[in-house]
Amino acid sequence: MAQIRPVVGLPTLTWLRAFEAAARTSSFAAAAAELNLTSGAISYQIRALEAHLGFGLFERLPRGVKLTPMGVAYLPPVRKAFEELADSTVGLFGGSERVQITVHAPVSLAALWLAPKLPAFSIAHPSIDVRLSSVIWDNAVLDEATDLEIRYGAGHWHGYRPERLLNQSILAVCSPTLLRTAQQNGDMAALLPGHLIHIMGFENHWLKVRQALEQAEAPASACPTVDTTVAALELAATGAGVALAHRIFLDAYFATGRLVLALAQDFADDFSYFVITPERPQRIRREVQLFRDWLLAVASN
């Protein structure tokens, strides 16, 4: 039988774990707390790794540490190796422990698009519990407890890397009764400004529609102003006015006949929904990566 040779040049696994944790947290102390070691032990393991490689991996700063160019180059293959090892281990031997991920998403996207699709993810990944938290207004800084966040906007958030999830056209919808009344009294497009339900934070929708219809500014609508698309659609379904919403939110309303198209035309939206993650290097947990990949696949269908 041929002798299995040892892997030459491979650093000790504990050194690599210390390097990955310190690189992700930018702190030997934080890495020590995560790995249940002392700061001195982390510092020793990093020095041993640097001596083994013959290159410095960190700049020691008054507060924390910073990766050197060689450290920046070394981090991705180290992280990839850990992730592939974790995937292979779970794939071959399974995982008995349940894990949880926390996802933040805008209220309407969470309620009308994402929540109905989550059972399919749970069937495919029964050991992963998804905690879906809906928000009305984005936080300036990601909550440390949040694993994944979906935001709506132009895709520019300082300190975060956006990945486009969905771009949807805007539709004008109303109740069948309101549409019949409008058709009897004239052109719905002309009547729209006085019957519009405004949604705070989505003023760009009305601007895009007004520009596309080549309408001048009109007096404010007498209809209510709300802070979520869900509320606007429910109001519209009662006949209270016309709501502007993305197409993905309307399937259930169209299926039941509670809402119909107020205008046959759809309108392009310059903004999109994005999955955002911090720009600084960090290790993404396997279960979070699985959910992210599933989310992008669902959005692309």
Side-chain angles (χ1 to χ4, degrees):
M1 181 181 294
Q3 184 180 3
I4 300 176
R5 297 180 179 179
V7 179
V8 178
L10 182 64
T12 302
L13 183 60
T14 55
W15 299 350
L16 295 175
R17 283 207 320 164
F19 166 68
E20 191 280 332
R24 176 163 36 84
T25 60
S26 300
S27 167
F28 286 180
E34 180 177 310
L35 299 177
N36 294 317
L37 298 171
T38 65
S39 296
I42 293 293
S43 180
Y44 171 80
Q45 291 174 5
I46 296 296
R47 287 200 306 271
L49 178 60
E50 290 174 326
H52 177 85
L53 299 174
F55 288 93
L57 300 174
F58 290 97
E59 294 179 25
R60 277 67 171 176
L61 305 174
R63 292 186 178 181
V65 292
K66 178 183 177 182
L67 287 171
T68 64
M70 288 302 294
V72 171
Y74 194 44
L75 180 59
V78 168
R79 178 171 294 140
K80 182 179 180 182
F82 276 124
E83 291 172 352
E84 288 181 348
L85 180 59
D87 289 345
S88 298
T89 301
V90 173
L92 287 171
F93 305 104
S96 58
E97 294 185 2
R98 298 189 66 80
V99 293
Q100 183 183 87
I101 61 174
T102 300
V103 179
H104 279 196
V107 171
S108 300
L109 186 80
L112 300 175
W113 182 78
L114 182 53
K117 301 180 185 301
L118 284 181
F121 178 81
S122 297
I123 292 172
H125 305 282
S127 65
I128 303 176
D129 294 327
V130 179
R131 182 182 178 186
L132 179 58
S133 175
S134 56
V135 296
I136 296 179
W137 310 114
D138 296 330
N139 295 319
V141 179
L142 277 179
D143 185 345
E144 291 184 359
T146 301
D147 294 302
L148 192 101
E149 183 166 342
I150 302 171
R151 290 188 179 183
Y152 172 74
H156 306 297
W157 292 279
H158 180 68
Y160 299 102
R161 182 178 65 253
E163 190 167 11
R164 192 185 304 276
L165 180 67
L166 289 163
N167 177 263
Q168 288 283 300
S169 57
I170 304 164
L171 300 178
V173 294
C174 66
S175 69
T177 302
L178 182 59
L179 179 62
R180 286 193 295 268
T181 301
Q183 290 173 337
Q184 292 171 0
N185 295 333
D187 180 16
M188 173 57 89
L191 298 175
L192 180 59
H195 291 80
L196 186 66
I197 300 170
H198 287 278
I199 307 172
M200 291 183 285
F202 289 85
E203 290 80 8
N204 64 306
H205 285 191
W206 171 231
L207 178 62
K208 293 293 293 186
V209 171
R210 185 169 60 81
Q211 290 174 340
L213 296 176
E214 298 181 348
Q215 292 184 347
E217 288 194 42
S221 167
C223 294
T225 295
V226 295
D227 60 358
T228 67
T229 301
V230 172
L233 293 176
E234 287 298 314
L235 275 171
T238 68
V242 179
L244 302 177
H246 292 128
R247 183 178 293 275
I248 55 170
F249 299 154
L250 300 170
D251 289 346
Y253 289 95
F254 287 159
T256 59
R258 298 181 67 206
L259 289 174
V260 295
L261 287 174
L263 299 172
Q265 180 180 357
D266 59 0
F267 306 90
D269 190 356
D270 295 332
F271 289 177
S272 300
Y273 292 94
F274 293 86
V275 176
I276 67 165
T277 52
E279 280 182 350
R280 70 178 180 84
Q282 66 174 355
R283 181 182 177 187
I284 299 178
R285 291 190 290 143
R286 175 181 176 274
E287 53 270 23
V288 177
Q289 186 69 40
L290 283 172
F291 185 82
R292 171 194 162 278
D293 293 346
W294 171 83
L295 192 64
L296 291 170
V298 168
S300 66
N301 291 335

